[in-house]
Amino acid sequence: MKVGEPVKGGKSAAEVFDDVGARYEEVFGRVPGQLAALDWLTARLAPGARVLDVGSGTGRPAAEALARAGCAVTGIDVSAHMVDLARSRVPQARFEQADVRTYEPAEGPFDAVCSFFPLLVMDQREIATALERMASWVAPGGYFVLATVPGDISDLDIVWMGHEVTVSSLSPAQHLRLLGAAGLEVVEHHTALFRPAGVEPEEHFFCYARRPA
């Protein structure tokens, strides 16, 4: 999400998510594909593994599950309100307000990076750059787990949770090509339909990848 740039209605994406707040967790906090991805990831990480959660939201379910598995979790999100919620919900993890497009890890690469739906309110070029940046933060032998709403979509105006926003995405094939070009080996990928209460059904794309040791 973009920190300072306005989306429809004159608000920045950070302001949109400041307003959505805990309602996001109520609607999207139990996505079956995301929970399965977290199970897959935590099964492969040793206690103390350093993990970056990009677009950490309220801290649930991702940061909470990772911290419960004994990982040292850092979460970043553009929304100050989301960061405050995450700090209260998952005190075992560390959260900061930051934009994936400009964030620079202070302590080198991570044993795993996860990205659950944070890239949609960007343009396609920014999405591609963000994927390359996140892949570069994965240490040798480490893992990258991605979830998004797929499609060759450019600057589509929608209403989402009561807010007018402009969204973009990439097709599954484009995601796979970019991650491969960034040096990651895709272990598994699939799509699944999610039907959140009170929101239009969404197709989700999940991708699990690894950087060779």
Side-chain angles (χ1 to χ4, degrees):
M1 297 300 182
K2 301 177 184 179
V3 174
E5 298 177 29
V7 294
K8 294 288 185 177
K11 291 183 177 180
S12 70
E15 290 171 325
V16 169
F17 275 83
D18 282 346
D19 184 63
V20 170
R23 289 189 294 130
Y24 184 88
E25 182 182 330
E26 294 169 5
V27 177
F28 294 101
R30 300 292 299 175
V31 176
Q34 182 177 3
L35 299 178
L38 289 165
D39 287 343
W40 183 92
L41 183 58
T42 55
R44 287 160 175 79
L45 296 175
R50 296 180 61 248
V51 184
L52 177 67
D53 181 15
V54 178
S56 47
T58 67
R60 296 175 177 165
E64 183 176 65
L66 291 160
R68 189 167 56 241
C71 298
V73 184
T74 298
I76 62 170
D77 200 283
V78 298
S79 164
H81 182 47
M82 288 291 200
V83 169
D84 287 342
L85 289 171
R87 286 171 176 165
S88 65
R89 282 163 162 72
V90 193
Q92 313 94 307
R94 181 170 65 88
F95 299 94
E96 58 183 287
Q97 186 180 9
D99 184 341
V100 65
R101 299 172 306 160
T102 56
Y103 176 72
E104 295 292 344
E107 300 177 4
F110 293 86
D111 299 304
V113 176
C114 56
S115 171
F116 293 108
F117 309 103
L119 306 180
L120 293 164
V121 187
M122 294 184 181
D123 62 36
Q124 289 185 325
R125 178 185 57 79
E126 290 172 323
I127 293 169
T129 300
L131 287 170
E132 293 168 357
R133 287 174 57 79
M134 290 189 292
S136 75
W137 301 333
V138 179
Y143 297 93
F144 178 62
V145 174
L146 164 77
T148 191
V149 178
D152 188 0
I153 301 165
S154 181
D155 299 328
L156 176 67
D157 295 335
I158 66 169
V159 176
W160 178 80
M161 296 193 74
H163 294 272
E164 294 181 353
V165 295
T166 302
V167 300
S168 299
S169 190
L170 304 174
S171 69
Q174 289 171 307
H175 282 93
L176 297 177
R177 177 180 58 80
L178 286 165
L179 294 178
L184 300 185
E185 295 179 348
V186 174
V187 177
E188 178 183 340
H189 63 90
H190 63 275
T191 58
L193 188 65
F194 177 60
R195 294 181 172 88
V199 181
E200 288 294 315
E202 294 181 347
E203 183 182 41
H204 291 168
F205 173 65
F206 294 92
C207 181
Y208 309 162
R210 182 174 184 270
R211 182 172 295 285

